[in-house]
Amino acid sequence: MDKNELKRKCLETIDQYKDQIIALGEDIYKTPELGYKEFKTTERVAAAFRDNGLEPETEIAYTGCKVSTPKQDGPRVSVMGELDCVVCAEHPHCITNGNIHACGHNVQLANLFGCTMGIMKSGVMAELSGGVDFIAIPAEECVDIEYRDSLIADGKIQFYGGKQEYLRRGGLDDVDMILQCHMLEMEDKNKLCTVSTDTNGFITKTVHFIGEGAHAGFAPSKGINALNMAELALNNIHALRETFRDEDKVRVSAIITEGGGLLNVVPASVRMEIMVRAFSLEAMMDASHKVDRALKAGALAIGGKVEIRQKIGYLPMKADRRLSRIYRQNMIDFAGANEDSFIEVYETAGSTDLGDMSQLKPCMHVWSGGVTGGLHTKDYRLTDQEAAYILPAKMLALTIIDLLYDGAKEAKAILENYHPSFTKDSYLEFMKANSKVELFDSSAL
Ligand SMILES: [Zn+2]
Ligand SMILES: [Zn+2]
């Protein structure tokens, strides 16, 4: 069958499921759950699949579920919809604990379901090579850390991010590329979506300066002042800022969470939290190294100790341009878009765990319209059901058809031109090596 015929069949099928797609998105909006707590949400998505005769695999990354087309030769594409919500107690639709889908993940899940129906119920797979995994993935927002640390301590997960965890568990071993959409207000009403997105990655550091207490009046000469170490360290970090290149979008944020005990005692214990963000892996590691140096120099000057607990959050995202272009073309061919309907590249200093995936596999990340109000804020609302729930479902499905048609020629070409920063093993090794605790003791120097 001709490719455009396949596409039309797929679009018709998605239209037949319109009511179910919208109902799913609206239902999930009523039960927002934070990452790795998405039990009801997973069940609702799984039920939508089951109601339509599909057999979802569940608990894929502690929570989450997926359905897959049968294995056959050729590249495997995955589409992801995220399960978790955010907290915004000022949002009028939030539930009692402040939980609210103010990042539009309920819409993503509706898109995922619609796309699944379009590909699996239209019969188009019979004409395509390779395969597709439709994945409802947990925990994109890097929040609620205490709870996630408890899951890590109990051996239930190893990563804060659901995609990181799913990758570790082998879920993406046979997946070659990932497609995903988020919903964002299009401030310029002529724009229908952003085509490619690049984001910062980040590293967190929990810092403990350890000195020696002494009476601040009688005997400050006997103390080792941990607050002075922290102050010097902050100044050192500020002195480094001119070494960060504009294009690397480096942000170093620091707060003092414990500044000393009693006013008349030389502070022996001072704690800080630091976040280092940057636009590329190299810049992120470079800035992190410099910050460590600054922290140690603060301790060194005073003759104290500093313990640095470091953890990699998410890696920078570089969306695959060739992949995004296919979605873009479908918007022109099937959604009434023209050359001026797009924001071609959206660069943001925010972060997502799709960033990690983009360092290993070609990833597409589109921001689609149909909502108003800032992400994660009290004003975030869905305003256009067709644009938010239905259109991205269709465009994702059409993108899959383009990728896997004609012996999956397009998907193969994208893979040939893609150069990963890591293999799965080297990624896991890198994450492990850079999640570390280091104690710098200058008292003997
Ligand atoms: Zn978000
Ligand atoms: Zn989000």
Side-chain angles (χ1 to χ4, degrees):
M1 207 187 286
D2 159 70
K3 188 165 75 174
N4 279 337
E5 272 175 61
L6 286 183
K7 287 186 173 180
R8 271 189 287 275
K9 239 177 127 182
C10 179
L11 293 174
E12 276 167 29
T13 306
I14 293 175
D15 277 328
Q16 285 161 15
Y17 284 89
K18 198 179 268 189
D19 292 347
Q20 280 195 54
I21 297 169
I22 294 172
L24 179 66
E26 297 284 293
D27 267 9
I28 290 171
Y29 190 66
K30 292 174 198 150
T31 56
E33 297 170 299
L34 286 175
Y36 293 122
K37 293 175 179 167
E38 316 96 326
F39 301 106
K40 285 182 202 157
T41 312
T42 300
E43 187 39 45
R44 181 64 184 84
V45 176
F49 286 141
R50 280 189 211 110
D51 288 348
N52 290 288
L54 301 174
E55 278 300 323
E57 188 185 319
T58 56
E59 294 172 28
I60 57 167
Y62 190 59
T63 55
C65 66
K66 71 156 177 176
V67 294
S68 307
T69 63
K71 299 262 179 276
Q72 58 177 10
D73 281 349
R76 211 163 175 84
V77 181
S78 82
V79 183
M80 288 191 182
E82 294 161 346
L83 289 155
D84 58 329
C85 71
V86 294
V87 174
C88 178
E90 297 79 42
H91 198 293
H93 302 162
C94 78
I95 59 170
T96 42
N97 54 9
N99 284 9
I100 176 75
H101 274 296
C103 201
H105 295 184
N106 62 311
V107 185
Q108 284 187 29
L109 293 167
N111 297 156
L112 173 76
F113 171 72
C115 175
T116 311
M117 294 301 116
I119 295 294
M120 293 187 83
K121 296 293 179 182
S122 61
V124 296
M125 259 333 278
E127 310 267 340
L128 303 176
S129 302
V132 191
D133 282 2
F134 302 93
I135 306 168
I137 195 90
E140 187 246 353
E141 310 285 351
C142 196
V143 296
D144 202 16
I145 297 303
E146 230 173 280
Y147 168 70
R148 293 187 200 180
D149 280 338
S150 76
L151 290 180
I152 291 172
D154 292 346
K156 290 182 173 145
I157 59 167
Q158 288 185 23
F159 285 98
Y160 288 157
K163 297 181 193 69
Q164 299 172 323
E165 177 66 17
Y166 185 60
L167 177 95
R168 178 190 75 77
R169 293 179 182 217
L172 297 173
D173 286 359
D174 64 350
V175 165
D176 296 295
M177 52 189 67
I178 302 173
L179 311 180
Q180 205 201 318
C181 284
H182 255 95
M183 311 302 131
L184 186 72
E185 176 173 17
M186 296 290 129
E187 283 173 21
D188 177 346
K189 297 299 167 218
N190 296 317
K191 305 294 181 192
L192 296 177
C193 68
T194 74
V195 181
S196 288
T197 310
D198 296 338
T199 70
N200 269 8
F202 72 95
I203 292 179
T204 56
K205 295 174 193 284
T206 312
V207 182
H208 187 197
F209 289 100
I210 305 156
E212 194 72 50
H215 192 293
F218 282 107
S221 61
K222 296 222 165 73
I224 300 175
N225 191 321
L227 185 59
N228 287 346
M229 295 183 218
E231 269 183 53
L232 288 172
L234 282 174
N235 281 331
N236 295 340
I237 291 169
H238 295 322
L240 285 167
R241 292 191 197 273
E242 68 177 9
T243 72
F244 303 142
R245 299 183 314 166
D246 292 348
E247 60 267 37
D248 290 331
K249 300 182 175 36
V250 176
R251 309 267 193 279
V252 183
S253 330
I255 55 168
I256 293 180
T257 52
E258 180 195 330
L262 204 65
L263 185 58
N264 58 5
V265 180
V266 170
S269 171
V270 167
R271 293 176 197 269
M272 286 170 66
E273 283 176 13
I274 295 180
M275 189 177 265
V276 180
R277 304 174 192 258
F279 206 53
S280 73
L281 208 49
E282 296 71 32
M284 189 173 94
M285 299 318 291
D286 175 66
S288 170
H289 174 70
K290 286 173 178 169
V291 167
D292 284 352
R293 220 167 50 197
L295 295 168
K296 290 174 190 170
L300 175 65
I302 310 294
K305 299 176 196 168
V306 60
E307 184 194 75
I308 308 168
R309 271 172 196 276
Q310 172 178 299
K311 207 165 168 81
I312 297 212
Y314 296 156
L315 302 185
M317 177 157 76
K318 293 286 161 283
D320 191 275
R321 301 300 193 259
R322 207 164 157 172
L323 203 45
S324 315
R325 276 201 81 78
I326 300 176
Y327 188 100
R328 185 185 186 282
Q329 192 58 46
N330 280 311
M331 286 289 291
I332 293 174
D333 295 345
F334 294 91
N338 60 50
E339 288 297 328
D340 296 324
S341 302
F342 307 103
I343 298 164
E344 301 295 343
V345 183
Y346 181 55
E347 293 187 347
T348 156
S351 306
T352 167
D353 58 351
L354 191 63
D356 296 51
M357 306 302 110
S358 80
Q359 302 284 348
L360 283 89
K361 300 170 193 293
C363 288
M364 186 196 84
H365 185 284
V366 168
W367 293 95
S368 195
V371 300
T372 56
L375 279 176
H376 294 202
T377 73
K378 64 175 173 36
D379 304 318
Y380 192 78
R381 297 279 189 293
L382 188 146
T383 48
D384 184 337
Q385 289 192 332
E386 184 72 28
Y389 285 133
I390 308 300
L391 180 76
K394 289 179 172 175
M395 296 302 117
L396 286 165
L398 299 187
T399 302
I400 292 170
I401 293 175
D402 279 311
L403 287 166
L404 300 181
Y405 188 72
D406 194 9
K409 207 169 74 187
E410 271 297 336
K412 285 176 183 165
I414 287 170
L415 290 171
E416 261 166 42
N417 283 292
Y418 177 78
H419 306 289
S421 309
F422 298 104
T423 62
K424 178 186 167 189
D425 287 344
S426 69
Y427 165 76
L428 293 173
E429 188 49 48
F430 171 82
M431 295 299 274
K432 200 170 157 194
N434 286 290
S435 292
K436 56 186 181 183
V437 184
E438 190 184 351
L439 180 72
F440 174 75
D441 182 354
S442 77
S443 53
L445 297 175

